C-alpha cells in the first residue's frame, strides 16, 4: 500500500484511534501527546480514571502499536511501574490499515449484494435481513419475532456500497 504525503490532523488522529481502540482511549492519548515515559499511575491521576481502566486502555493502544513502554522496578515498594509513550507515527500506518479493511469489507458486501440482487427479505421490525435461501429456511418468517418477512430491493444498498468504495479509493491521499 502506497501512501502519499499528507498532513495528519488531530481530528484524523482522534478518529483513527477511536475506530481502532475505542473512544475511551482518547483521553489517554490526549494526555500522552508530546510527552515521554509517563507512568500509568500518573496517567490515571491526571485523567481522573481508575488505574485498572487506564491499564486496559494502554494495553489496547499497545496492541495497535500506538504506545510503547518500558518497565522499571520500584526499589521501595518492590513492584514494577510502566512508563508509556505515544507513538504518533503509527497513526498514519493504522489509518491505511483501517481504510484497506473497510475497502475489503465493502467489496465483499457488494459482491454478496450483487449475487443476491433483489433477493433479500427483511423483517418489518428490522430484526433480520436475509437472502432468499435463508428466508426459505425460515419459511419466510422472522426467526426473532415471527412476523412474515417482506421482499426488499437492494439497489440502493448496491449504489451506497459503490459510492463508499469510490470514496475510499479517492480520499485521504491513500492508494489501495
Amino acid at each position: 500500500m502506497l501512501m502519499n504525503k499528507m498532513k495528519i490532523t488531530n481530528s484524523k488522529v482522534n478518529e483513527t484511534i477511536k475506530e481502532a481502540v475505542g473512544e475511551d482511549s482518547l483521553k489517554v492519548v490526549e494526555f500522552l501527546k508530546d510527552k515521554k515515559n509517563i507512568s500509568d499511575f500518573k496517567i490515571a491521576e491526571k485523567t481522573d480514571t481508575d488505574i485498572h481502566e487506564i491499564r486496559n486502555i494502554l494495553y489496547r493502544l499497545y496492541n495497535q502499536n500506538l504506545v510503547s513502554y518500558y518497565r522499571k522496578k520500584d526499589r521501595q515498594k518492590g513492584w514494577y511501574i510502566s512508563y508509556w509513550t505515544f507513538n504518533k507515527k503509527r497513526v498514519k500506518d493504522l489509518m491505511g490499515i483501517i481504510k484497506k479493511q473497510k475497502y475489503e469489507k465493502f467489496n465483499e458486501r457488494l459482491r454478496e449484494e450483487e449475487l443476491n440482487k433483489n433477493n433479500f427479505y427483511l423483517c418489518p421490525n428490522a430484526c433480520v435481513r436475509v437472502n432468499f435461501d435463508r428466508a426459505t429456511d425460515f419459511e419466510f418468517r422472522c426467526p426473532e419475532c415471527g412476523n412474515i418477512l417482506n421482499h426488499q430491493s437492494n439497489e440502493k444498498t448496491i449504489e451506497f456500497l459503490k459510492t463508499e468504495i469510490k470514496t475510499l479509493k479517492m480520499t485521504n491521499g491513500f492508494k489501495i
Side-chain angles (χ1 to χ4, degrees), residues 1-4 6-8 12-13 16-17 20 64-66 86-102 172-176:
M1 177 184 316
L2 299 170
M3 292 190 197
N4 297 338
M6 64 174 265
K7 183 169 172 41
I8 298 179
K12 285 183 183 177
V13 169
T16 302
I17 290 168
Q64 296 293 336
N65 296 320
L66 289 167
F86 178 61
N87 181 6
K88 187 175 180 179
K89 292 176 185 172
R90 170 71 176 146
V91 174
K92 193 170 187 176
D93 295 336
L94 193 56
M95 288 171 72
I97 290 167
I98 290 171
K99 182 179 178 190
K100 186 175 184 202
Q101 288 171 343
K102 280 184 183 178
N172 298 331
F174 292 105
K175 300 239 187 237
I176 296 179

Side-chain angles (χ1 to χ4, degrees), residues 46-107:
K46 294 295 185 182
T47 60
D48 193 29
T49 308
D50 177 70
I51 186 67
H52 301 293
E53 186 180 337
I54 288 298
R55 287 181 178 147
N56 177 289
I57 292 167
L58 288 166
Y59 288 125
R60 283 187 282 139
L61 289 165
Y62 179 76
N63 286 338
Q64 296 293 336
N65 296 320
L66 289 167
V67 292
S68 58
Y69 76 99
Y70 75 91
R71 287 173 45 181
K72 190 174 178 182
K73 192 168 188 171
D74 185 309
R75 292 179 193 212
Q76 293 174 342
K77 296 178 183 171
W79 59 44
Y80 286 96
I81 299 175
S82 299
Y83 295 89
W84 299 83
T85 303
F86 178 61
N87 181 6
K88 187 175 180 179
K89 292 176 185 172
R90 170 71 176 146
V91 174
K92 193 170 187 176
D93 295 336
L94 193 56
M95 288 171 72
I97 290 167
I98 290 171
K99 182 179 178 190
K100 186 175 184 202
Q101 288 171 343
K102 280 184 183 178
Y103 179 80
E104 289 168 356
K105 183 176 152 189
F106 284 146
N107 268 314

